[in-house]
Amino acid sequence: MKKTILGIMLTLALVLALVGNVNAAGSVSASATSVKAGETVEVTVSATASAGIQFDMEYKTDYFEYVGSNVYGQKSDENDAGGVVTIMAYSSDPTVEKVTLTFKALKDTTVDGEAFTVSGFITDDDQTLTNDSVVVAVTPATPDDDDPTTDDPTTDDPTTDDPTTDDPEGPTGSNGEPVDKIPQAGAPIYAGVVAVMVVAGAILLVRKIRK
């Protein structure tokens, strides 16, 4: 009877240990699925509290620049080889739970984005990753609402208010066709009248002199 009870207890202990190992798993996540050029994104590798975590983070240097890491543990070593960041975090107690890496977006990616991939993931208690990568896209910047080119008057149709494009309503002749100038018909008549008056005045003056 005692052997039976001991056997059951050992079996339960083994099952609990196996369940604990299955549940002990890490993951990879990002603070955003898309950012704009110049902004930063954080990629976090999480695990159940462990005394040590080691992994490599691969990224595309054409689109992202490595800024640094924040290790939630006592000590860490890191190395950026340009495209691959190697992290080793460890502590005297199993308190290492996650490592956050910060990257700066450099230029627009495709619509599908670019992946941050973890390889060589190792913990002191042999945890595994539920996923080994995340995808982040770099999208074009939003046009500035205060962009002066938005209301640039040079973009308006210049013919709208251009006085040279208006059809002036000039004078018309007897045939209804526009003419540049109307002949000043009264000018010759006025000149003739003046000439007659001058001649008449001269004749009268001569007659007075003779008398």
Side-chain angles (χ1 to χ4, degrees):
M1 185 65 178
K2 291 182 179 180
K3 291 182 179 181
T4 303
I5 296 174
L6 181 59
I8 294 174
M9 293 178 65
L10 290 174
T11 302
L12 290 174
L14 179 60
V15 170
L16 291 175
L18 292 174
V19 171
N21 288 334
V22 171
N23 290 335
S27 63
V28 183
S29 61
S31 59
T33 56
S34 66
V35 293
K36 296 178 176 60
E39 296 180 343
T40 58
V41 60
E42 295 181 344
V43 181
T44 300
V45 178
S46 303
T48 302
S50 175
I53 297 176
Q54 177 178 334
F55 62 87
D56 292 332
M57 172 75 73
E58 299 177 15
Y59 66 98
K60 297 293 182 64
T61 56
D62 290 342
Y63 302 100
F64 296 96
E65 177 185 23
Y66 178 63
V67 177
S69 65
N70 185 8
V71 180
Y72 294 82
Q74 294 183 359
K75 299 179 180 179
S76 67
D77 294 322
E78 66 177 64
N79 177 49
D80 178 22
V84 179
V85 180
T86 299
I87 295 291
M88 290 184 291
Y90 49 92
S91 67
S92 57
D93 298 321
T95 56
V96 180
E97 295 183 353
K98 59 182 178 180
V99 179
T100 298
L101 292 78
T102 302
F103 297 88
K104 180 180 179 181
L106 300 178
K107 65 178 182 180
D108 300 348
T109 63
T110 62
V111 177
D112 296 333
E114 296 294 335
F116 293 88
T117 304
V118 172
S119 61
F121 179 78
I122 301 173
T123 65
D124 67 314
D125 52 353
D126 298 327
Q127 298 182 39
T128 58
L129 290 174
T130 57
N131 64 307
D132 61 0
S133 66
V134 290
V135 175
V136 178
V138 182
T139 59
T142 304
D144 188 357
D145 293 336
D146 296 329
D147 187 353
T149 60
T150 304
D151 301 323
D152 188 355
T154 60
T155 59
D156 297 334
D157 185 1
T159 62
T160 303
D161 300 321
D162 188 356
T164 61
T165 59
D166 296 336
D167 184 14
E169 296 182 0
T172 58
S174 59
N175 59 356
E177 295 295 329
V179 295
D180 293 336
K181 296 181 180 179
I182 297 177
Q184 302 295 322
I189 297 175
Y190 176 76
V193 172
V194 172
V196 171
M197 291 178 65
V198 171
V199 172
I203 294 173
L204 291 176
L205 181 61
V206 171
R207 288 180 178 180
K208 288 183 178 180
I209 293 174
R210 289 179 180 181
K211 290 179 181 182

